[in-house]
Amino acid sequence: MKTLSIKDIAVKAGVSITTVSFIINGKAKEKSISEAVIKKVEKIIKESGYKPNQIARSLRTGNSNIIGLIIEDISNSFFSRIARLIEDKAYKKGYKIIYSSTENNVEKAKELINMFKSRKVDGYIISPTKGIEEDIQVLLSDNKPVILFDRNLSDIDTHYVGADHFKASYQSIESFIKNGKGKIALVTTDIDVEQIIERFEGYKKALIDHDIPYNDELVLKIHFNQDEAETIEQMKSLFSSKDIDAVLFATNYLAISGLKALKQLNKKIGDELSVIAYDDHEVFELHTPSISAVQQPLEEIAETVIQLILNQLSSKNKLENQKVIIPAKLIER
Amino acid sequence: MKTLSIKDIAVKAGVSITTVSFIINGKAKEKSISEAVIKKVEKIIKESGYKPNQIARSLRTGNSNIIGLIIEDISNSFFSRIARLIEDKAYKKGYKIIYSSTENNVEKAKELINMFKSRKVDGYIISPTKGIEEDIQVLLSDNKPVILFDRNLSDIDTHYVGADHFKASYQSIESFIKNGKGKIALVTTDIDVEQIIERFEGYKKALIDHDIPYNDELVLKIHFNQDEAETIEQMKSLFSSKDIDAVLFATNYLAISGLKALKQLNKKIGDELSVIAYDDHEVFELHTPSISAVQQPLEEIAETVIQLILNQLSSKNKLENQKVIIPAKLIER
DNA sequence: TGTTTGGCGTAAAACGTTTTACTAGATCAA
DNA sequence: TTGATCTAGTAAAACGTTTTACGCCAAACA
């Protein structure tokens, strides 16, 4: 069965293609098409189940009603939850989301941007890696809306939505200190993105503000993308060699690996060792004992992101850049 | 800056559009374009950074190099992990994945199919809900490759990839029985899809085969999409009113809610109450005590799915339908 | 009467490709 | 020399829309 085109509808209705197009696009009134014709054409469309070819439409109009979402890894629960929320909200406004994971790989990120570009997506929501500044700049000068989230790129002048990582990290450490901890470790990753750096800075600052000297040896930077087994080994070595009474994990997957390491070492979490994870996860609530975590307000982030991009999409001129920093919450368990 | 078109390249190179197109598509040799011209054009393309407009290309050729992936919920870790694997593999073959969640809603699923159809995706990978059989049938008679996974639709005649849910469920129950359990509950959902039904059947059959009478009261069907708090209440009522020594959860999110319920009841998992979850999750490994789980071979499922769809895409005629059932593994912890 | 105006609608160009069918000249075989 | 074949390329149609500019008729106006 050949799929129907607007031409088939026009022929069947005995009117021109133009007329059908006007009706489909709700311009019938404005173009003064008679009520009778409108009814007739609409009836035929309904009966035949005709759906306009979006590809042809995109080619002609230059936009696609698609928003590209570029994230680090869809299988990470932080991103998959955000993605779901964003998809949901965009969908309600008639936009589709197409998303893809960069795996924190600059080359792949660039490719993705190109791919989206050649697919003519209308806007971009990006959780960026370092190294794609130029590509993003090209999008911007091309007048495409770009919203960064989770991580900011300071040299890029566009909208950004993210949690207050510095403060959340600071508060986490402060809470350790309030509970009498003093030998506080940080397990983080070596990827060079702003949000990770901020968490690190928050850690340092909190220590210093409370007169605890910063000690390099208590900070473990895990290589991104490295095998989990190796990660666990490194953590075990940190936890057993140093005398530590608290540890902040800078990402949830690190925290999960960390819990595994502690389990293997048979170290009990509790009075002797406190733990806080960054980015909440079901694991932490259910863990015995349950684990405190910094919870990013996913719903709010998603809402803000989508709001910003829709605003930008519907406005002809470039809106003023907004940098929205949303407080994160330390859930003490 | 206007984006470049093939015409710009042609003009710059002093050749025709056709020639450029042949070169881009690797048909230069076959169409006997001279080496000199090829070099020249390629140089210009490289230097200018020209990328063909995929929309125009799709319009002309009728295919998009996009595969549509329709799942229940991207924020469910089973799906997000599968999605990531599928995306990865497809990407390597030059295909993009565009995915969307149905939330188990027939209307949304139908809409998604339509949307994908009007976007001219080349093939479909679907974890279906009941009620979309007709729509899938339309795709098939349209000669589009469709691969079902996770859940089969028995009246649809196409490829399918999934785990052996019946057997996995059967074995789980058998393992309870071997460990001396006899009052075995099942917590499942009320969605009417094959894979859930099979898990239920496996449960019943195992009981009967071991001379344990099936008892309706030990089966709790949770309404899909219902509030987690309510779910937990229902479970608590089951766990405290009945005398139960083992429970199988038919999905991982039910198991997670179940663990929360047990925690609230202060019921210890272990000798008095054994638990098995369906679909593994990090929570289960880290839980104290750790929780046994049925592990679906994600990698293998993803690999098979992608293999089937790529085969079908590259073959002109309809391949014989394959129903691939992959064994699931009970991880006893 | 001749000229506007408004109502109703259409023809055709354009979006950026791919692909089919063709051409002009060179070489070759008989 | 003639016709066939090969080489190197091109013109133009087609994909399915949207949109601009226009056409025609009847009514209103002066």
Side-chain angles (χ1 to χ4, degrees):
Chain A
M1 185 195 68
K2 260 334 266 118
T3 66
L4 295 167
S5 81
I6 197 173
K7 192 173 173 187
D8 301 312
I9 304 296
V11 169
K12 217 171 286 187
V15 299
S16 76
I17 290 182
T18 310
T19 303
V20 177
S21 173
F22 286 155
I23 293 174
I24 291 173
N25 295 290
K27 299 197 179 154
K29 297 269 133 96
E30 165 190 344
K31 298 291 178 175
S32 58
I33 306 295
S34 71
E35 204 54 47
V37 171
I38 296 182
K39 283 275 169 295
K40 181 168 62 172
V41 171
E42 279 177 344
K43 181 147 174 277
I44 293 179
I45 290 180
K46 203 122 295 167
E47 285 173 2
S48 64
Y50 163 71
K51 296 270 188 275
N53 179 327
Q54 297 296 338
I55 299 278
R57 198 174 246 185
S58 289
L59 178 59
R60 174 60 228 227
T61 63
N63 45 40
S64 57
N65 277 294
I66 293 185
I67 294 171
L69 173 57
I70 297 181
I71 57 189
E72 182 183 310
D73 175 6
I74 189 64
S75 71
N76 175 321
S77 92
F78 171 73
F79 287 114
S80 71
R81 284 149 87 171
I82 283 270
R84 165 74 186 275
L85 292 168
I86 288 180
E87 183 193 328
D88 227 59
K89 289 170 203 291
Y91 191 85
K92 286 184 183 128
K93 306 288 184 174
Y95 281 91
K96 283 277 327 124
I97 299 285
I98 133 170
Y99 31 99
S100 219
S101 312
T102 64
E103 304 165 51
N104 230 51
N105 170 334
V106 179
E107 282 320 307
K108 188 160 180 214
K110 285 173 180 239
E111 261 185 77
L112 284 177
I113 290 181
N114 268 325
M115 189 149 270
F116 285 0
K117 198 156 58 172
S118 66
R119 293 242 139 75
K120 305 289 166 194
V121 306
D122 294 348
Y124 299 76
I125 301 173
I126 306 181
S127 166
T129 39
K130 278 231 163 124
I132 58 168
E133 289 84 351
E134 242 179 77
D135 307 72
I136 293 183
Q137 201 53 63
V138 171
L139 298 179
L140 287 172
S141 56
D142 215 32
N143 255 327
K144 294 292 179 197
V146 177
I147 316 286
L148 302 182
F149 83 103
D150 189 41
R151 325 166 170 186
N152 196 14
L153 290 175
S154 43
D155 0 345
I156 295 291
D157 194 30
T158 188
H159 306 280
Y160 165 73
V161 181
D164 190 340
H165 302 293
F166 176 87
K167 196 162 164 199
S169 172
Y170 189 98
Q171 288 176 338
S172 303
I173 301 304
E174 216 168 25
S175 114
F176 281 148
I177 295 172
K178 252 184 235 144
N179 288 313
K181 307 296 177 181
K183 285 156 285 181
I184 304 170
L186 171 70
V187 176
T188 183
T189 113
D190 67 345
I191 52 178
D192 185 23
V193 297
E194 198 170 274
Q195 112 265 34
I196 293 295
I197 294 171
E198 279 183 14
R199 294 175 199 182
F200 184 34
E201 297 298 335
Y203 164 82
K204 280 204 275 198
K205 188 75 174 11
L207 290 179
I208 290 167
D209 285 359
H210 290 81
D211 298 322
I212 300 178
Y214 166 73
N215 177 356
D216 219 18
E217 293 188 339
L218 296 184
V219 174
L220 175 58
K221 293 197 180 185
I222 300 288
H223 186 50
F224 183 78
N225 254 341
Q226 104 179 2
D227 201 55
E228 194 186 14
E230 196 181 342
T231 300
I232 291 179
E233 281 315 311
Q234 292 182 11
M235 291 188 186
K236 277 160 81 173
S237 124
L238 169 71
F239 296 151
S240 48
S241 72
K242 303 289 165 197
D243 179 28
I244 287 169
D245 58 13
V247 53
L248 172 66
F249 293 98
T251 79
N252 60 15
Y253 60 85
L254 287 174
I256 288 173
S257 302
L259 292 178
K260 292 180 187 169
L262 290 170
K263 196 168 188 181
Q264 289 179 23
L265 286 176
N266 236 328
K267 267 213 164 169
K268 289 270 169 289
I269 295 167
D271 288 342
E272 32 167 348
L273 180 65
S274 295
V275 166
I276 296 180
Y278 206 107
D279 283 354
D280 204 5
H281 193 285
E282 263 148 347
V283 168
F284 306 143
E285 184 181 350
L286 277 171
H287 195 271
T288 315
S290 50
I291 307 291
S292 302
V294 173
Q295 200 175 51
Q296 294 194 54
L298 300 181
E299 176 84 29
E300 207 176 334
I301 293 176
E303 182 63 40
T304 312
V305 163
I306 211 73
Q307 210 53 60
L308 286 176
I309 201 159
L310 291 180
N311 283 350
Q312 187 58 77
L313 281 169
S314 61
S315 132
K316 219 47 257 169
N317 31 3
K318 179 94 176 81
L319 301 177
E320 203 182 333
N321 285 331
Q322 301 208 29
K323 305 278 182 186
V324 183
I325 309 288
I326 301 178
K329 211 163 68 193
L330 174 62
I331 309 282
E332 305 206 47
R333 296 204 169 101
Chain B
M1 184 195 68
K2 261 334 266 112
T3 66
L4 295 167
S5 80
I6 195 173
K7 192 172 171 187
D8 301 313
I9 304 297
V11 169
K12 216 170 285 186
V15 298
S16 75
I17 289 181
T18 311
T19 302
V20 177
S21 174
F22 285 154
I23 293 173
I24 290 172
N25 294 288
K27 299 197 178 154
K29 297 269 133 106
E30 166 191 344
K31 299 290 179 177
S32 58
I33 306 295
S34 71
E35 203 55 46
V37 172
I38 296 181
K39 282 276 171 293
K40 180 168 61 174
V41 171
E42 280 177 344
K43 179 145 174 278
I44 293 179
I45 290 179
K46 202 123 298 168
E47 283 173 3
S48 64
Y50 163 72
K51 295 270 188 274
N53 178 328
Q54 297 296 336
I55 300 276
R57 196 174 246 186
S58 288
L59 178 59
R60 173 62 227 227
T61 62
N63 45 42
S64 56
N65 277 296
I66 293 185
I67 294 172
L69 173 58
I70 297 182
I71 56 188
E72 182 183 310
D73 175 6
I74 190 64
S75 71
N76 174 321
S77 91
F78 170 73
F79 287 113
S80 69
R81 284 150 88 171
I82 283 270
R84 165 76 188 273
L85 291 168
I86 288 180
E87 184 194 327
D88 226 60
K89 290 169 202 292
Y91 191 86
K92 286 185 183 127
K93 306 288 183 171
Y95 281 92
K96 284 277 328 124
I97 298 285
I98 135 170
Y99 31 100
S100 216
S101 311
T102 65
E103 303 165 53
N104 229 50
N105 171 334
V106 179
E107 282 322 306
K108 186 157 184 220
K110 285 174 181 239
E111 260 186 79
L112 284 178
I113 290 182
N114 268 325
M115 188 150 270
F116 284 2
K117 198 156 61 174
S118 65
R119 293 242 140 75
K120 306 288 166 193
V121 306
D122 293 348
Y124 298 77
I125 300 173
I126 306 182
S127 165
T129 40
K130 277 228 166 129
I132 58 167
E133 290 84 350
E134 242 178 78
D135 307 72
I136 293 184
Q137 201 55 63
V138 171
L139 298 179
L140 287 173
S141 55
D142 217 31
N143 256 327
K144 293 293 178 197
V146 176
I147 315 285
L148 302 182
F149 83 103
D150 190 41
R151 325 163 169 189
N152 197 14
L153 290 175
S154 43
D155 359 346
I156 295 290
D157 194 30
T158 189
H159 306 279
Y160 165 72
V161 181
D164 190 341
H165 302 293
F166 176 87
K167 197 163 164 198
S169 171
Y170 188 99
Q171 288 175 338
S172 303
I173 301 303
E174 218 169 23
S175 112
F176 281 148
I177 295 173
K178 252 183 233 144
N179 288 316
K181 308 295 176 181
K183 285 155 289 183
I184 304 170
L186 172 70
V187 176
T188 181
T189 115
D190 67 346
I191 50 177
D192 185 24
V193 296
E194 197 170 274
Q195 114 266 34
I196 292 294
I197 295 171
E198 279 182 14
R199 293 175 199 182
F200 185 34
E201 297 297 335
Y203 165 81
K204 280 206 274 198
K205 189 72 175 10
L207 290 179
I208 291 168
D209 285 358
H210 290 82
D211 298 322
I212 299 177
Y214 166 72
N215 178 356
D216 219 17
E217 294 187 340
L218 296 186
V219 174
L220 175 59
K221 293 196 181 185
I222 300 289
H223 185 52
F224 183 78
N225 253 342
Q226 104 181 0
D227 201 57
E228 195 186 15
E230 197 181 340
T231 301
I232 290 179
E233 281 315 310
Q234 292 181 11
M235 289 189 187
K236 277 161 79 175
S237 124
L238 170 71
F239 296 151
S240 46
S241 72
K242 304 288 165 195
D243 179 29
I244 287 170
D245 58 13
V247 52
L248 172 66
F249 293 99
T251 78
N252 60 15
Y253 60 86
L254 288 174
I256 288 173
S257 302
L259 293 178
K260 291 181 186 168
L262 290 171
K263 195 168 188 181
Q264 289 179 20
L265 286 175
N266 235 327
K267 268 213 165 174
K268 287 273 171 288
I269 295 168
D271 288 342
E272 32 166 349
L273 181 64
S274 295
V275 167
I276 296 180
Y278 207 107
D279 281 354
D280 203 5
H281 192 285
E282 262 150 346
V283 168
F284 307 142
E285 186 182 350
L286 276 171
H287 196 270
T288 315
S290 51
I291 308 291
S292 301
V294 173
Q295 200 176 52
Q296 294 194 53
L298 300 181
E299 175 84 29
E300 206 175 335
I301 292 176
E303 181 65 38
T304 313
V305 163
I306 210 73
Q307 209 52 60
L308 286 177
I309 202 159
L310 291 180
N311 283 350
Q312 187 60 78
L313 280 169
S314 61
S315 133
K316 218 46 254 168
N317 31 2
K318 178 95 177 79
L319 301 177
E320 204 182 332
N321 285 331
Q322 301 209 29
K323 305 279 182 185
V324 183
I325 310 289
I326 301 178
K329 210 162 69 194
L330 174 62
I331 310 282
E332 305 205 47
R333 294 200 170 105

